[in-house]
Amino acid sequence: AYISIEVLIALVSVPGNILVIWAVKMNQALRDATFCFIVSLAVADVAVGALVIPLAIIINIGPQTEFYSCLMVACPVLILTESSILALLAIAVDRYLRVKIPVRYKSVVTPRRAAVAIACCWIVSFLVGLTPMFGWNNLNKMRRTQELNASHSEFVIKCQFETVISMEYMVYFNFFVWVLPPLLLMLLIYLEVFNLIRKQLNKKVSSSSNDPQKYYGKELKIAKSLALVLFLFALSWLPLHVLNCITLF
């Protein structure tokens, strides 16, 4: 059942997100900073469907592998999850700037700065996701376990996520530093975005002020859609992190 659901998600997410990328590529009107960040998010989701889900199925089966081979299978999901979070954060900041400084927005959020922000998001994602490869993992614990079992064979393990990834890393570093704070920050940003838009729409407007009303009305619709994406992302991932906290504590 688990494998079937994973395959179904992959079959939906890969073509769906490729269509998002293709739509931005083909439509000149979508070539702004927001859609650059959305493309970055879509690229991460394509990689989840094409790469991470097959690896997750392998880990679910639990083959016998060398420790670092298993670690290489487990890390991509950490990289791409963090990339998704940072892309959502970049989108939230972008929407905030659109409603906070609408006149100066285009001079502040240039394509070059958007590209730099996207590159920084991916660099940070790789550093966070590959931290277990740098040493914060369960290798020493597994070695001690094998020594206690008086095993002198080659160091081979059953490849499962919890076997190689440290729960301290998942809770203290991944969740408490790189998942929960960005999610809370995004919540505050969207609350402020809706507050700013509400103030603008509630202003008494003259007949010559249709453009600002139209602008903020459009921003409200987009902000609602993106806030829904954020809500669904949190709904999908927070239960897993809560279970990790219960496991550790």
Side-chain angles (χ1 to χ4, degrees):
Y2 169 78
I3 292 173
S4 299
I5 292 169
E6 287 279 38
V7 169
L8 180 62
I9 291 170
L11 291 174
V12 172
S13 68
V14 173
N17 282 287
I18 287 174
L19 284 174
V20 170
I21 297 167
W22 184 254
V24 174
K25 177 179 171 58
M26 297 302 293
N27 193 335
Q28 193 69 31
L30 302 180
R31 303 282 181 85
D32 65 5
T34 301
F35 285 97
C36 290
F37 296 129
I38 288 174
V39 165
S40 178
L41 181 62
V43 168
D45 289 340
V46 168
V48 168
L51 176 65
V52 170
I53 286 179
L55 295 179
I57 292 171
I58 291 172
I59 284 184
N60 179 253
I61 296 170
Q64 296 290 321
T65 66
E66 193 270 331
F67 184 88
Y68 276 98
S69 297
C70 183
L71 204 55
M72 288 177 67
V73 172
C75 283
V77 68
L78 301 172
I79 296 169
L80 294 168
T81 303
E82 188 57 38
S83 174
S84 296
I85 292 171
L86 294 179
L88 288 170
L89 179 58
I91 290 168
V93 172
D94 176 70
R95 302 323 296 184
Y96 173 76
L97 293 175
R98 274 183 177 270
V99 298
K100 184 69 175 178
I101 51 168
V103 177
R104 294 192 297 119
Y105 171 79
K106 287 191 176 181
S107 63
V108 173
V109 185
T110 62
R112 180 183 175 83
R113 287 174 179 170
V116 169
I118 291 169
C120 289
C121 288
W122 279 98
I123 290 168
V124 170
S125 300
F126 272 92
L127 291 174
V128 172
L130 291 176
T131 296
M133 294 292 293
F134 303 147
W136 198 346
N137 54 52
N138 286 336
L139 180 60
N140 291 332
K141 184 194 292 186
M142 295 301 299
R143 279 182 172 155
R144 286 196 298 271
T145 302
Q146 200 165 60
E147 286 170 5
L148 288 172
N149 292 336
S151 173
H152 300 287
S153 61
E154 185 183 350
F155 190 59
V156 174
I157 60 166
K158 183 177 181 181
C159 184
Q160 293 183 321
F161 190 85
E162 297 85 353
T163 304
V164 293
I165 300 294
S166 165
M167 201 53 64
E168 286 82 3
Y169 160 82
M170 285 301 299
V171 173
Y172 292 124
F173 187 66
N174 189 278
F175 182 48
F176 286 168
V177 177
W178 292 106
V179 173
L180 191 58
L183 288 177
L184 292 175
L185 180 58
M186 281 183 268
L187 175 63
L188 293 175
I189 290 171
Y190 276 113
L191 287 175
E192 181 62 15
V193 165
F194 288 126
N195 183 47
L196 288 170
I197 293 174
R198 181 182 58 80
K199 286 180 179 178
Q200 292 295 330
L201 292 177
N202 285 343
K203 285 182 179 178
K204 291 182 179 180
V205 293
S206 64
S207 58
S208 62
S209 301
N210 289 329
D211 286 343
Q213 286 292 99
K214 185 178 179 181
Y215 176 84
Y216 286 107
K218 179 184 174 184
E219 287 299 317
L220 180 62
K221 289 180 181 179
I222 296 174
K224 284 180 177 179
S225 298
L226 295 172
L228 177 61
V229 172
L230 172 62
F231 171 75
L232 293 174
F233 184 90
L235 191 68
S236 300
W237 282 103
L238 284 179
L240 175 64
H241 287 287
V242 170
L243 285 174
N244 286 340
C245 291
I246 292 170
T247 301
L248 179 64
F249 298 134

